[in-house]
Structure formats: C-alpha cells, structure tokens
C-alpha cells in the first residue's frame, strides 16, 4: 500500500526538478538545512511552532552549540492533511536537508518513514506516539516524545488499581487510535483484565457518528470507557455523552493525554465544555520541575503574544518536547561535525533507473552522512526543559512518566503519578531511590467521579439490551427438594430456586431472567450435557462422599481401653515416660536422697517416678531448678494427653458406635464390590477417569429408595457395597434413613453451586462481574441467616440425630501431639546440657589434685569423673572444705616453725656477740 501511495505522490510531483549534484563540505558549513512539517493551526501545531522557533533562536544565538554553524529550519504546514504532509516531506529531499522534524500524526509518519529509510534522512517526531513505529522496521524514525506503550501501561495500572476487569475502548479509527488501543489490550491482559468492546470512530466524526456509537456503548455491560481521540474533536464526545446520560453516576471515563493537551493549550476552557467532562480522569506527560523549565515557562507569554486572536495560547507537553527536539538535533549535528562528518548527497541508483517519464524520481538524493547523524542522535545525553533526554536501547526516552488528572469544577486536580519505575504514586517519581512496585504501596488521591460522587463506581451494569438472562433448570427425577418442576404451570420450586431468587433480590440492580426446563423428566440430566454450560455461584460446600450400611453397637471389647491411642502414640508416650524419668533422676541424683541408693532401688525409683506422673501421684520431691523445670513441662504434657485419653475412652465405652465393614474410599476400592452412584452425576466420570474403577463395577441408581434397597441387599444379593454421591444429596438421603452413614473422609471437595445452566453467552462467564455480585449476595445470605432458613425449609433436619449414634471414633494419633513431645524433649535436652556443663566446672574446681594423681590415663580420668558425678554434692563440698582447712593448717604450722627457727638464730647470734665483747673487755 505504501508503494501505491508513493507512486500516486510522484504523479503530483512532476514539477520537482533537480540535477542530482552532490554537495560535499569537508569543514563545518556556514549553515545546515533542517525541515519541519506539521499542521500549524492544530492544537499541537500552534504550540510546537512557537517552541521550535524559540529553540532555533536559542541554538543559533549560542556559538558553542554548533561551533559557528547556523541551523536553518524550514517549516511547512501540512494543514491537517496526511497527503500534504507527505508532499512537503518529499520537497525537503531536494534541498540537501539533513533531518526532518515531524511529522505530526502516525498515518503520515508510517509513509514518510519508508522514504526516510531509503534516503537515510532521520525523522524526529515530537508528537507521534504510535507504538508500532518500531526501530526495526523504521530505523530512521526517532520518537522524541513518550511512547503510547507507556501511556497505556499507566491506564492499565489505573484500571487494575481500582479493581475493574473489563473496559470499553472508544478510539479514532486510524493508525494512532488502533495501535494505541492494541497496546492497551496487551497491557490489560498482563493484569488479567480485558477490553470487552471496541468502538472505533471515523477520523473526523460529526455529532451523528458519535451519537450512534455511544448508543451502542450504553447497551453494553461495562461502564469503564477509555477515550483515545484527537484534541480537536475529543471534547465533542463528552458533550454527546452527557446528552445521552452517560456522564452520570456509575460511569468512568479515562481520556488519554489528548485531553490535557486541549486543557493546557486553551485554558481556561468554556464553562459549558468543562461541565460536559466533570469527573473524567486523564493523563499528562510528566516533566520534572527544573530551573530550565521554569525559565521557559516564564518566557512563554512573551513568545506567544500576538500568536492568536482568540486569546492566550497555553503551553502543553508537546511544546516542551518540540523545543527539546531542536536542541537534541543541534547536539547531534555538532557531534557529527566533531567526528569528521560532512554534508554530502548522492543519487539513488534505483531511482535513476526510473528516470523515464515525467516523475523526475532522480530528484531525490541520499544523505551520505545519514547513518552517522542517526547514531549521534541516539547517543545524545543532555538535560532539556523536559528533564534528562536520553534514549534507551529500544529507542524510547528514558524515565517515562505521566501525571494522573481529575477534571473537577472549572479546573483540574492532580491525584497522582505513574512511572515505569515506581508504578502508581502520590509523589513524583524519584529515580535515586530503589523502586517499590508492590500493589500495597501503589496509591492515588481520592477522585470525584462522574455524578459528583466520591464512591468508586462498580464499573459495570447488567446489559440494557432488552434481552433476558435465560436460565436452564434441570428437570430432576430424584432429590426434588433441590429443584422441582411443575409441568402444568411451568413453575420451579426447591432449595436452589429459593437461594437463586433471594440472591437476585439482593443485587443493587434488576436482572431480568427466564427459567427454562432442561431434561426429559424421566431421568436426571447427565453432567456431560451440562458441564460445558454450567457456571455456578457457591453456596454449599460439597464433594463426593461414601455412604454404606452401618450397625449400631456398644463397644464391649475387653481391650477397649487401648483404643483411644494408636500403637505409635502408645509407643512414643511410653518412651517419653522413661526418658523424662531418667532425665529427672540424672538432675536430682547428686542433690536428692530420694533418687539415691543401691542400683536396684534407683532403677525402681526411675520407673515408679515416671509412670506415677500419669496420675500425678509421684511421691519424690524435686529440689534442683532444672529438675523442676523439666517436671513442670512434662506434667503439662501429661495433663493434655490424660484429658484426651479420658475423653476418647469415655466416647468409646458409653456412646453407641456405628460400625461398617467399609471404612472409607480406600477399603471400598480394595474390596472390588459393586459401587452405586446417582444416575446423571459426575461421580461416574470421576470414578472411571480419576480412580480407574472398572465401569462394570458401577451401578446407576435414580431414586433415594433405590439407594436404600441396593445398600440393604449388599453385593451378595445383587446390591452394592456403598454409594458414592455428592454430600448435599447424601445429607438429604440420610435425614430419614438411620441404617446408613457416611464413612471415611469427603473427597474432591468443591463449591456446590446453584444447579442451573446459563444459556446466554453473556451470563456468568468465568470472569463476569455478575458472578462476583452473585457470590457476594449469596455470602450475605449466609451471614444474615436467610440461607439457613431456606435450608431448614427444604432440607429437613436429620431424624437420626437424637439417637446419639455416630461412626466409630478415629484413634488419637501422634500427629495431634507431636508439638507437645517436641517441647518436652527440647526441655530435657537443654537441661542435660546445662547440667553437664555445670558438672565439668565443679569437677575441675574440686578434683584437680585427684586428676593429677591419676596420671594422664583417659580411663582413670573418666573413672574419677564418674565417681564424682555419682557422689552426693554435699559430700564433695564437705571434703573439699576439709582439704582446704588442712592445707591452711599445714601452711600455718610451717610458718610457725620457720618463725621459731628465725628467732633461734637471732638469739644465738646475739649470744655470740656478747661473748666476744666480754673477751675484748677482759
């Protein structure tokens, strides 16, 4: 199709002439030619033209940017025409243009991008957000604004944040609209949401077009509408919607950033226009508040003075990106020259071959430096008035973010932000902090929704298309308490019908419905006929159970006292009695005379103490802290075990027991006896498909009396050993038949719902909002007691309950008490560790001399330690004290003798000196 477009254009382009002469400049030229094409009088174009002119003036006034080279930007007006936009782009190709700023819309961009690829002239678009303009298909197309992938991710995040699952997409039917909505669908799917209805509008719709489409939208279920349009005619959609009553309570309108473009450019909007869009949510491309941006905003009023006769021209986000696009291109061109690039063009050989005729195709030439300039464009890293300007590897601008706006009164209110870094937030994205993307941390400020309400809309209503919800009801033959059909008057009664109608009456809106009988009335409709159509709302927890004949007995077994515990429980309990007795003996042996004596006596003491704790009849007192701690924990364990044993034994001996040879599903399958099931129930498929039961062993039964007869006859007389059916039916069956009982555990437990079949494709789909509301209504019925009253009305209470009979009580197992045993075992182990550490400390303190005298023999040291542990602690301390006193006494005697000898020597020396003196005197 693009080739056809190109050929058509060439027919109109026969006046363009060029000799194809190459321009080759080895040094920086005096000027460089750049083209720009967009609609000057459009909302985006009016602002962009002023911004581009201001950027050109700023770039050319700073010699440091291009090193003295001037940038000449020739702007052409496409005048809202894609055709003219293409023609103007082609005209640039004959003027040695190195790059083109534009085009403005996606349709033109798709076609011009093919030409840019061929002639290697980069296109820099500040306004085309179409996500399908990929770098793989169009390498010379560079998007210098935000990608609609990110905008639609923000919209999907908002929808998911408010808990809605389905939306309606209202969009312009061109590349911009279709591709943007396709991106929205992908983003919603990632969040398990979807677009339930797509409503395309013609490119330039009138009021009639909009009205016809909105009427169709009003008949759908969803009330969440995403409007992806153009700023020029987008507000007209709200005008028609308000006229049709679609701007009131219950509706949600989310407009893409075209709406903020309209508001920012023409603010203040007329009050009538603002009244039409009250409560609308919209987006605005987020640009951080920087000094560069503040300076440019302050210049804007001077730049736009005299630009329009209709009043003040506001600055929108596209104007900011248009300004930065010029600067981005200037930096890239400067880098191009710094790398030795030169501006040269050459003829395209493929176009030269088509020189025949009047098309003059050879007038267009290839920019030889196009690839180098493109690389420099993608490598630009600067700070502009929109914030950091840099491209990601997939050629999108870094840090995509959007403001979320709520239209209120005569203005707008910012309720939060979205970024691909931090998700939804009430604060601007901060890329210096680590992101926290958990849903619990995502938040927005409160919203005033259409209809001036702050309560979040439910997001859907039952379709107002005149159709009834057709409900197929099975014509049951058995268990008619659940559903019963009267042939004469086409009336349905029963438990399921009452619950269904009660739930519908609780819905906050009317649901027209019609009950349609399903089945022949001779046999129950089979599950295979219903399973692909049934969608249920749960109100009875049910599954398959086994019912078998039982007999009532009193347990007169002489060994009945052993039944409360299973063998494993008995074994572990006995082991812990011995373990605790041994641990207490170890802890008390050195301190307590009750735990000392001959070995035979001590063994008896351990056994007696252990088992007497069962009756709390132990006579021995504990004196150690560790022993008391262990005993307290053990007595608590014994109390729990004793109470459980007593309760279970009492039940076994005093309550009538219902005994059956079938103990549950496992014993039933192992017996290979015939098994009964309700004809038409899914139980047959489950038994044959999941449990691999031979179909020859299954017996279909219809009426409750058939159940009773087959169970009483048993396998020996052509009956069945047991019946497998849904718990709800078995509960009703057993209400008046006391010879049978449920054995074993329930299996394949599911939510048993209203036994009806929804024929309408719209009704109760898996993710239908109606199913959610019905489930909520049924839950309320359970909470307020209405469900129980309906149950008592149809499903009578069991007459067997007063007999006090019940199925054999399961034995108590170790898994019910293992936590207590772990607690007690841990206490024993910890106490022993502390005890032996204390023993080692005392041994090293009191028996150091004995260890030294015993030598280095390990066995001798071990024997000494065992003797120490077996010895009473008082004797050890007493002997240690005696030894200490003896050492002190010996030390004192030695000191006295030493003192005596010292005095004796002193006297002898004195006597010698006196004798010597007397001799000298003589």
């Amino acid at each position: 199709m693009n080739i056809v477009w190109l050929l058509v254009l060439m027919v109109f382009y026969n006046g363009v002439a060029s000799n194809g002469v190459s321009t080759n400049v080895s040094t920086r030229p005096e000027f460089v030619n750049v083209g720009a094409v967009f609609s000057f009088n459009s909302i985006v174009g009016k602002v962009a033209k002023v911004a581009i002119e201001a950027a050109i003036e700023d770039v050319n006034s700073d010699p440091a940017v291009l090193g003295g080279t001037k940038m000449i930007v020739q702007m052409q007006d496409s005048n809202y025409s894609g055709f003219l936009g293409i023609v103007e782009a082609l005209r640039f190709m004959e003027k040695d243009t190195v790059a083109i700023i534009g085009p403005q819309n996606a349709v033109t961009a798709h076609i011009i991008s093919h030409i840019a690829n061929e002639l290697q002239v980069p296109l820099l678009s500040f306004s085309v957000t179409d996500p399908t303009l990929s770098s793989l298909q169009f390498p010379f197309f560079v998007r210098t604004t935000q990608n609609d992938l990110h905008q639609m991710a923000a919209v999907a995040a908002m929808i998911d944040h408010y808990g809605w699952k389905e939306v309606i997409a209202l969009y312009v039917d061109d590349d911009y609209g279709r591709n943007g909505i396709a991106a929205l669908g992908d983003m919603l799917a990632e969040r398990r949401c979807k677009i339930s209805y797509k409503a395309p509008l013609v490119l330039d719709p009138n009021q009639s077009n909009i009205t016809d489409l909105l009427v169709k939208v009003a008949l759908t279920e969803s009330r969440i509408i995403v409007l992806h349009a153009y700023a020029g005619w987008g507000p007209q959609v709200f005008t028609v919607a308000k006229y049709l009553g679609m701007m009131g309570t219950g509706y949600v309108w989310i407009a893409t950033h075209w709406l903020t473009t309209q508001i920012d450019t023409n603010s203040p909007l007329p009050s009538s226009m603002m009244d039409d869009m009250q409560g609308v949510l919209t987006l605005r491309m987020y640009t951080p508040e920087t000094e560069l941006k503040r300076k440019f905003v302050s210049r804007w009023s001077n730049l736009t003075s005299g630009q329009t006769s209709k009043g003040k021209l506001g600055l929108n986000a596209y104007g900011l990106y248009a300004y930065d696009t010029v600067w981005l291109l200037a930096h890239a061109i400067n880098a191009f020259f710094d790398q030795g690039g030169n501006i040269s063009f050459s003829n395209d050989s493929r176009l030269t071959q088509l020189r025949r005729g009047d098309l003059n195709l050879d007038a267009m030439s290839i920019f030889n430096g196009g690839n180098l300039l493109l690389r420099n464009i993608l490598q630009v890293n600067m700070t502009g008035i929109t914030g950091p300007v840099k491209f990601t590897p997939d050629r999108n601008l870094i840090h995509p973010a959007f403001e979320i706006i709520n239209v209120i009164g005569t203005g707008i209110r910012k309720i939060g932000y979205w970024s691909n870094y931090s998700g939804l937030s009430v604060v601007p994205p901060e890329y210096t902090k680590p992101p926290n993307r958990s849903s619990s941390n995502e938040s927005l400020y409160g919203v005033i929704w259409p209809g001036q309400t702050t309560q979040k809309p439910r997001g859907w209503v039952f379709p107002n298309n005149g159709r009834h919800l057709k409900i197929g009801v099975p014509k049951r033959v058995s268990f008619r308490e659940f559903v019963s059909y009267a042939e004469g008057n086409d009336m349905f009664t029963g438990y399921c019908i009452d619950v269904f109608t009660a739930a519908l009456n609780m819905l906050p809106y009317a649901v027209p419905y019609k009950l349609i009988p399903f089945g022949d009335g001779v046999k129950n409709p089979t599950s295979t006929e219903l399973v692909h159509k049934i969608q249920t709302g749960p109100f009875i927890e049910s599954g398959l159970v086994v019912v078998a004949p039982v007999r009532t007995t009193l347990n007169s077994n002489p060994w009945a006292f052993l039944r409360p515990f299973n063998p494993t429980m008995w074994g572990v309990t006995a082991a812990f009695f011995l373990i605790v007795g041994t641990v207490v003996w170890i802890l008390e042996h050195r301190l307590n005379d009750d735990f000392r004596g001959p070995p035979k006596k001590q063994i008896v003491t351990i056994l007696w103490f252990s088992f007497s704790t069962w009756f709390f009849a132990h006579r021995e007192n504990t004196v150690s802290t560790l022993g008391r701690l262990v005993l307290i924990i053990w007595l608590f364990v014994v109390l729990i075990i004793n109470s459980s044993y007593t309760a279970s034994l009492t039940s076994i001996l005093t309550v009538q027991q219902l005994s059956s040879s079938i103990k549950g599903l496992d014993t039933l399958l192992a017996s290979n006896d015939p098994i009964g099931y309700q004809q038409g129930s899914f139980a047959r498929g489950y038994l044959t498909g999941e449990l691999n039961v031979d179909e020859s062993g299954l017996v279909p039964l219809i009426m409750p009396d058939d159940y009773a007869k087959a169970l009483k006859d048993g396998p020996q007389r052509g009956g069945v050993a047991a019946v497998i059916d849904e718990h709800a039916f078995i509960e009703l069956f057993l209400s008046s038949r006391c010879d049978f009982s449920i054995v074993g555990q329930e299996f394949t437990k599911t939510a048993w719902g209203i036994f009806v079949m929804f024929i309408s494709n719209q009704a109760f789909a898996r993710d239908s909002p109606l199913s959610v509301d019905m489930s909520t209504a049924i839950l309320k019925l359970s909470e307020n007691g209405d469900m129980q009253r309906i149950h008592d009305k149809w499903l009578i209470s069991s007459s067997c309950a007063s007999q006090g009979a019940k199925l054999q009580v399961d034995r108590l197992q170790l898994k019910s008490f293992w936590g207590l045993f772990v607690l007690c075992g841990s206490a024993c182990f910890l106490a022993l560790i502390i005890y032996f550490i204390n023993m080692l400390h005392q041994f090293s303190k009191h028996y150091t001399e004995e260890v030294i005298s015993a030598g280095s023999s390990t066995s001798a040291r071990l024997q000494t330690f065992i003797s120490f542990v077996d010895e009473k602690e008082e004797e050890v301390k007493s002997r240690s004290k005696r030894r200490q006193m003896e050492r002190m006494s010996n030390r004192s005697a030695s000191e006295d003798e030493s003192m005596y000898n010292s005095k004796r020597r002193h006297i002898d020396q004195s006597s010698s000196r006196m004798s010597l003196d007397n001799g000298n005197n003589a």
Side-chain angles (χ1 to χ4, degrees):
M1 180 177 179
N2 290 331
I3 296 176
V4 175
W5 261 102
L6 187 58
L7 292 175
V8 172
L9 290 172
M10 294 307 176
V11 173
F12 292 96
Y13 195 59
N14 54 14
V16 179
S18 174
N19 55 13
V21 177
S22 297
T23 303
N24 194 332
V25 183
S26 59
T27 60
R28 285 182 180 259
E30 181 180 354
F31 59 87
V32 59
N33 290 325
V34 175
V37 56
F38 51 90
S39 298
F40 291 173
N41 292 323
S42 66
I43 292 177
V44 172
K46 287 186 293 187
V47 176
K49 186 174 185 295
V50 177
I52 291 173
E53 290 172 346
I56 296 170
E57 181 182 352
D58 293 344
V59 167
N60 290 333
S61 64
D62 186 354
V65 178
L66 286 174
T69 299
K70 299 295 184 181
M71 179 187 289
I72 297 177
V73 179
Q74 298 179 1
M75 291 186 282
Q76 298 294 337
D77 185 6
S78 60
N79 197 23
Y80 298 98
S81 171
F83 176 78
L84 291 181
I86 297 169
V87 171
E88 294 297 344
L90 290 172
R91 292 178 61 188
F92 285 132
M93 303 304 178
E94 66 168 338
K95 299 178 181 179
D96 294 347
T97 302
V98 299
I100 297 175
I101 299 175
Q104 182 175 326
N105 63 67
V107 176
T108 307
H110 275 275
I111 298 175
I112 296 180
S113 293
H114 287 285
I115 303 172
N117 288 351
E118 179 67 23
L119 303 181
Q120 299 182 12
V121 176
L123 297 178
L124 292 85
S125 178
F126 57 86
S127 59
V128 174
T129 58
D130 181 357
T132 64
L133 285 162
S134 69
S135 59
L136 296 178
Q137 184 180 9
F138 304 113
F140 280 84
F141 175 82
V142 181
R143 181 184 290 106
T144 59
T145 186
Q146 297 295 347
N147 193 325
D148 263 350
L149 277 176
H150 299 128
Q151 179 175 214
M152 297 309 173
V155 173
M158 294 164 58
I159 292 168
D160 185 48
H161 174 72
Y162 290 114
W164 302 313
K165 293 300 179 183
E166 296 184 2
V167 303
I168 295 171
L170 188 61
Y171 59 96
V172 58
D173 193 14
D174 65 356
D175 290 343
Y176 158 76
R178 287 191 301 270
N179 297 332
I181 293 303
L184 175 61
D186 294 339
M187 295 301 172
L188 288 173
E190 292 179 3
R191 298 176 177 269
R192 301 181 65 86
C193 305
K194 69 177 184 179
I195 299 175
S196 60
Y197 183 72
K198 292 184 178 180
L201 273 168
V202 297
L203 186 60
D204 190 15
N206 55 36
Q207 184 172 342
S208 177
N209 299 140
I210 298 173
T211 302
D212 292 343
L213 191 62
L214 289 183
V215 168
K216 296 178 182 178
V217 169
L219 296 177
T220 60
E221 184 177 274
S222 177
R223 285 295 179 261
I224 315 300
I225 304 173
V226 177
L227 180 57
H228 191 46
Y230 287 116
W233 53 263
Q236 189 178 359
V237 175
F238 295 126
T239 301
V240 177
K242 184 177 181 181
Y243 174 78
L244 295 176
M246 298 176 65
M247 296 300 297
T249 304
Y251 280 90
V252 175
W253 288 82
I254 301 176
T256 51
H257 54 54
W258 66 265
L259 180 55
T260 52
T261 301
Q262 171 73 264
I263 294 173
D264 292 341
T265 306
N266 298 319
S267 182
L269 294 177
S271 58
S272 59
M273 185 180 292
M274 293 299 295
D275 289 342
D276 292 340
M277 59 181 71
Q278 290 298 298
V280 173
L281 293 180
T282 185
L283 301 172
R284 175 195 283 150
M285 289 181 280
Y286 170 72
T287 54
E289 297 298 326
T290 61
E291 186 63 25
L292 284 175
K293 179 181 175 181
R294 282 191 288 269
K295 288 181 178 178
F296 186 75
V297 171
S298 65
R299 291 173 56 193
W300 186 251
S301 58
N302 293 330
L303 292 173
T304 57
S305 59
Q307 290 288 332
T308 175
S309 60
K310 295 183 179 180
K312 180 181 177 182
L313 181 65
L315 175 61
N316 58 46
Y318 287 115
L320 300 176
Y321 282 105
Y323 181 88
D324 276 354
T325 299
V326 175
W327 274 93
L328 182 153
L329 181 58
H331 284 294
I333 292 174
N334 185 58
F336 171 83
F337 288 138
D338 287 343
Q339 295 171 14
N342 58 73
I343 299 176
S344 63
F345 296 85
S346 60
N347 292 330
D348 189 333
S349 59
R350 287 184 290 183
L351 293 178
T352 304
Q353 295 173 3
L354 301 176
R355 186 174 303 199
R356 299 186 306 272
D358 298 327
L359 296 180
N360 294 323
L361 297 178
D362 59 334
M364 295 181 292
S365 55
I366 297 174
F367 176 31
N368 296 328
N371 281 298
L372 178 60
L373 179 59
L374 177 63
R375 285 197 299 271
N376 282 286
I377 289 173
L378 298 177
Q379 292 172 3
V380 167
N381 186 0
M382 72 176 201
T383 299
I385 59 176
T386 60
V389 178
K390 185 179 179 182
F391 292 98
T392 63
D394 58 356
R395 294 194 180 183
N396 287 317
L397 291 177
I398 62 171
H399 303 165
F402 291 86
E403 300 174 9
I404 302 175
I405 306 296
N406 186 199
V407 179
I408 303 173
T410 58
I412 59 176
R413 174 174 172 261
K414 191 183 304 178
I415 64 168
Y417 302 84
W418 176 92
S419 73
N420 68 341
Y421 185 77
S422 55
L424 296 175
S425 175
V426 294
V427 298
E430 298 182 37
Y431 299 95
T432 58
K433 297 182 179 179
N436 189 344
R437 294 298 301 274
S438 64
S439 58
S440 59
N441 289 306
E442 293 190 341
S443 62
L444 296 172
Y445 288 121
V447 178
I448 297 180
W449 304 99
Q452 300 298 311
T453 178
T454 58
Q455 182 178 0
K456 185 195 77 173
R458 183 176 61 240
W460 76 282
V461 295
F462 198 79
N464 186 22
N465 52 16
R467 294 186 299 171
H468 284 72
L469 176 62
K470 297 179 181 179
I471 305 172
V473 185
K475 296 170 64 175
R476 292 194 56 82
V477 178
S478 59
F479 299 104
R480 293 168 63 86
E481 292 86 351
F482 288 96
V483 174
S484 177
Y485 175 65
E487 292 285 351
N489 53 15
D490 290 339
M491 293 290 294
F492 290 92
T493 58
Y495 174 76
C496 292
I497 302 300
D498 282 5
V499 172
F500 179 70
T501 55
L504 285 181
N505 291 335
M506 296 193 70
L507 298 179
Y509 47 88
V511 179
Y513 68 93
K514 183 179 181 180
L515 300 178
I516 300 175
F518 181 84
D520 56 12
V522 178
K523 59 182 181 179
N524 294 328
T526 63
S527 58
T528 55
E529 296 176 88
L530 293 171
V531 70
H532 69 286
K533 299 175 182 176
I534 291 179
Q535 299 288 342
T536 61
F539 60 89
I540 294 181
E541 290 295 325
S542 183
L544 293 178
V545 293
V546 179
V547 61
V550 294
R551 53 189 176 87
T552 305
T553 61
L554 283 174
N555 201 325
S556 57
N557 190 329
W559 299 100
F561 68 90
L562 295 176
R563 286 191 55 80
F565 292 163
N566 65 2
T568 304
M569 182 65 184
W570 276 118
V572 173
T573 303
F576 261 84
F577 272 111
L578 296 177
I579 291 172
V580 171
T582 303
V583 170
V584 172
W585 176 83
I586 293 173
L587 299 176
E588 295 289 323
H589 179 66
R590 301 186 72 244
L591 301 173
N592 195 337
D593 290 335
D594 291 341
F595 292 87
R596 298 187 63 80
K600 183 183 293 185
K601 178 185 176 183
Q602 295 184 46
I603 292 174
V604 173
T605 300
I606 292 174
L607 295 175
W608 164 256
F609 178 82
S610 299
F611 291 102
S612 62
T613 56
W614 177 271
F615 311 101
F616 302 95
H618 52 285
R619 298 172 301 178
E620 296 79 8
N621 293 322
T622 52
V623 297
S624 68
T625 302
L626 293 176
R628 290 175 176 176
L629 175 64
V630 171
L631 184 60
I632 288 174
I633 295 176
W634 172 242
L635 290 179
F636 172 73
V637 175
V638 169
L639 175 64
I640 301 300
I641 295 176
N642 198 5
S643 301
S644 302
Y645 175 86
T646 303
S648 180
L649 183 61
T650 301
S651 176
I652 290 173
L653 296 178
T654 62
V655 178
Q656 288 181 329
Q657 305 297 315
L658 300 179
S659 61
S660 172
S661 59
I662 303 297
K663 305 299 181 183
L665 180 63
D666 293 337
T667 58
L668 175 61
L669 297 179
S671 68
N672 292 323
D673 290 330
I675 302 172
Y677 68 94
Q678 182 184 172
Q679 184 268 327
S681 170
F682 75 94
R684 173 181 172 276
Y686 181 81
L687 291 172
T688 57
E690 299 294 331
L691 302 181
N692 298 320
V693 178
D694 194 329
E695 192 168 350
S696 61
L698 299 178
V699 179
L701 304 170
I702 300 178
M703 304 299 294
D705 291 340
D706 298 337
Y707 286 27
K709 183 179 184 303
L711 289 170
K712 287 180 179 179
D713 291 345
Q716 294 78 14
R717 290 183 292 177
V720 297
V723 171
I724 293 180
D725 201 355
E726 297 173 61
H727 192 284
F729 295 126
I730 293 301
E731 182 184 49
L732 185 60
F733 169 75
L734 295 176
S735 63
S736 58
R737 295 171 177 85
C738 304
D739 296 334
F740 314 102
S741 180
I742 296 174
V743 294
Q745 301 296 321
E746 184 176 325
F747 55 100
T748 69
K749 188 170 185 178
T750 57
W752 195 80
I754 304 173
F755 203 118
V756 292
M757 184 256 308
F758 296 91
I759 306 237
S760 170
N761 292 332
Q762 298 284 331
F764 276 54
R766 181 177 298 275
D767 52 358
S768 170
L770 180 57
S771 64
V772 177
D773 282 3
M774 282 292 289
S775 297
T776 303
I778 291 171
L779 181 61
K780 291 180 180 178
L781 290 177
S782 299
E783 293 174 347
N784 63 21
D786 288 345
M787 183 73 74
Q788 187 61 43
R789 285 188 285 274
I790 298 173
H791 181 278
D792 294 342
K793 172 184 175 182
W794 291 102
L795 309 179
I796 58 177
S797 301
S798 174
S799 60
C800 301
S802 60
Q803 296 183 5
K806 64 177 183 179
L807 200 61
Q808 291 180 349
V809 179
D810 291 336
R811 290 183 169 189
L812 298 175
Q813 299 180 7
L814 177 62
K815 64 182 181 180
S816 301
F817 301 95
W818 71 268
L820 292 172
F821 287 121
V822 169
L823 175 64
C824 184
S826 301
C828 292
F829 181 72
L830 183 61
L832 288 177
I833 290 178
I834 296 174
Y835 174 79
F836 281 113
I837 292 175
N838 188 35
M839 287 299 97
L840 291 173
H841 175 71
Q842 292 185 15
F843 180 72
S844 63
K845 179 178 179 182
H846 299 297
Y847 267 69
T848 304
E849 296 180 2
E850 284 78 354
V851 172
I852 295 174
S853 64
S856 58
S857 173
T858 303
S859 60
R861 293 183 178 182
L862 181 60
Q863 185 176 0
T864 303
F865 179 73
I866 293 174
S867 300
F868 167 74
V869 172
D870 185 60
E871 193 173 6
K872 193 172 182 180
E873 186 173 338
E874 292 180 358
E875 296 177 0
V876 174
K877 292 182 178 179
S878 177
R879 184 169 62 253
S880 178
K881 187 175 183 181
R882 266 197 322 272
R883 289 176 180 173
Q884 185 178 4
M885 293 179 65
E886 288 175 0
R887 286 195 296 269
M888 292 178 62
S889 177
N890 292 335
R891 189 183 303 114
S892 177
S894 176
E895 290 176 355
D896 291 343
E897 183 178 357
S898 175
M899 186 177 293
Y900 173 77
N901 291 335
S902 176
K903 289 181 178 180
R904 182 71 179 178
R905 286 194 300 271
H906 179 71
I907 292 173
D908 290 343
Q909 290 175 358
S910 298
S911 298
S912 297
R913 283 197 299 270
M914 290 178 64
S915 299
L916 182 59
D917 291 340
N918 290 333
N920 292 331
N921 292 332

